[in-house]
Amino acid sequence: MKSLSLSSAASSSFNVSAILLILSLALSSTVVVFAGNLYKDLDLTWGDGRCKITNDGQILTASLDKVSGSGFESKNEYLYVNIEMQIKLVAGNSAGTVTAFYLSSKGDRHDEIDFEFLGNVSGQPYTLHTNVFCQGEGKREQQFRLWFDPTADFHTYSIHWNPQHILFLVDGTPIREFKNLERFGIPFPKYQAMKLYSSIWNADDWATRGGLVKTDWSKGPFNAHFKNFNADNACVWSHGKSSCQSLSNSIFSSFSNSNWLWEKLDYGAQGKMKYIQKNYMVYDYCTDYKRFPQGLPRECYLNNLNY
């Protein structure tokens, strides 16, 4: 996995011109990941054969037609993970379709960390929808327009979930951070193990322009392609135990390659994220006063503080 611009402590100096140069380069960067055999890491779970692994385990294709969508999940469960995959989205008129890539636990009070790609009419940009659920409560949506054509080639989408924060990244560039603010009484996913799930399905009742544009089934089947699954930095959950957790007092023990558990965004990564949010964010629940007439969620006031 490519190293991020992260550190456990903020840099003491901030070179504005250097950051602007980094930002300009970030928009065209692509993360390089190591190829693996998808049969080893993933299970095809639904779709009656519409989800297939080909090319000797290197490419997974998930298809949607008028009868059914399809999907897959990771073999492992995780309680903290840096997980990523390269995805090439449905080309052409994909209106009404949703391609999802997310972590989720099970049960009514589940935790969930979402990437959802909302389809479009040909020539219009995809909408990247993100959300975080804690103990069954969501309503933390942020949406973005992608600054490239996600159907022309594979791009890397990553979820970095550690005790410090949840980070959403596109091609190695952070676009959203959800901090652990438990000290202020704000729930954070840390007690329930999650699997990686991905699927393509029909959501033309809401996905494209609020459901105004319906799926054109004459353009199907709709295919999304996946490769290079990577979860090398992970606390795998098995038989009630974490591969990197000392159960005594729930304190993480010292073990090799554990620095990712404590990583935070440094100034450079924060600058990249703010650039993306300023130029490509199209919805932020933390600015939706109409939706929250009694006041915005508490984390909206705390996220900009250096905790």
Side-chain angles (χ1 to χ4, degrees), residues 32-282:
V32 177
V33 293
F34 298 103
N37 192 306
L38 299 180
Y39 287 111
K40 177 175 67 72
D41 298 308
L42 306 174
D43 287 325
L44 310 183
T45 50
W46 66 283
D48 293 327
R50 292 173 178 82
C51 201
K52 299 177 181 179
I53 296 176
T54 58
N55 291 52
D56 295 324
Q58 301 304 304
I59 300 292
L60 186 153
T61 299
S63 295
L64 163 70
D65 59 29
K66 198 169 185 178
V67 175
S68 176
S70 58
F72 62 92
E73 65 185 51
S74 61
K75 293 181 183 292
N76 288 327
E77 289 185 288
Y78 310 97
L79 190 57
Y80 302 129
V81 63
N82 287 353
I83 198 163
E84 64 187 24
M85 199 161 192
Q86 292 187 306
I87 305 173
K88 183 163 68 171
L89 297 175
V90 177
N93 184 348
S94 57
T97 71
V98 173
T99 303
F101 180 79
Y102 62 102
L103 290 167
S104 182
S105 63
K106 298 178 181 179
D108 294 336
R109 294 179 59 81
H110 74 294
D111 296 334
E112 187 170 317
I113 306 168
D114 291 341
F115 272 120
E116 290 184 319
F117 304 91
L118 312 186
N120 61 13
V121 178
S122 297
Q124 298 183 9
Y126 262 80
T127 298
L128 172 53
H129 178 96
T130 67
N131 201 359
V132 176
F133 285 75
C134 300
Q135 300 173 24
E137 182 68 28
K139 301 179 181 178
R140 299 179 176 92
E141 301 93 341
Q142 288 184 353
Q143 293 184 340
F144 303 81
R145 294 280 192 258
L146 292 171
W147 52 93
F148 52 83
D149 181 356
T151 73
D153 203 352
F154 286 91
H155 291 266
T156 303
Y157 303 92
S158 312
I159 297 170
H160 288 196
W161 169 40
N162 69 20
Q164 319 304 314
H165 63 185
I166 295 163
L167 197 62
F168 298 79
L169 303 101
V170 177
D171 287 337
T173 299
I175 65 169
R176 178 180 182 180
E177 182 183 29
F178 185 83
K179 295 181 179 179
N180 184 344
L181 299 172
E182 275 195 315
R183 71 188 75 179
F184 301 102
I186 297 167
F188 183 81
K190 60 180 287 187
Y191 301 105
Q192 302 185 78
M194 296 194 253
K195 278 191 171 187
L196 183 281
Y197 297 90
S198 189
S199 60
I200 182 170
W201 48 288
N202 180 42
D204 66 2
D205 57 334
W206 67 272
T208 306
R209 295 183 58 203
L212 294 177
V213 183
K214 302 300 182 181
T215 304
D216 182 352
W217 294 110
S218 71
K219 306 297 184 182
F222 303 97
N223 299 314
H225 306 282
F226 304 78
K227 68 179 183 178
N228 290 336
F229 174 87
N230 191 326
D232 288 346
N233 290 331
C235 296
V236 177
W237 187 262
S238 180
H239 301 98
K241 294 183 179 180
S242 168
S243 62
C244 48
Q245 184 178 23
S246 169
L247 296 183
S248 175
N249 299 321
S250 296
I251 301 297
F252 282 94
S253 59
S254 175
F255 63 101
S256 61
N257 300 321
S258 63
N259 289 341
W260 65 273
L261 282 167
W262 318 114
E263 287 176 335
K264 297 181 181 179
L265 286 177
D266 67 12
Y267 279 127
Q270 289 176 31
K272 293 178 184 180
M273 183 174 69
K274 289 177 181 178
Y275 179 91
I276 295 297
Q277 291 179 351
K278 179 181 179 180
N279 290 279
Y280 299 102
M281 183 185 288
V282 294

Side-chain angles (χ1 to χ4, degrees), residues 15-27:
N15 187 317
V16 175
S17 61
I19 292 301
L20 291 176
L21 176 60
I22 292 171
L23 290 176
S24 66
L25 295 174
L27 299 182

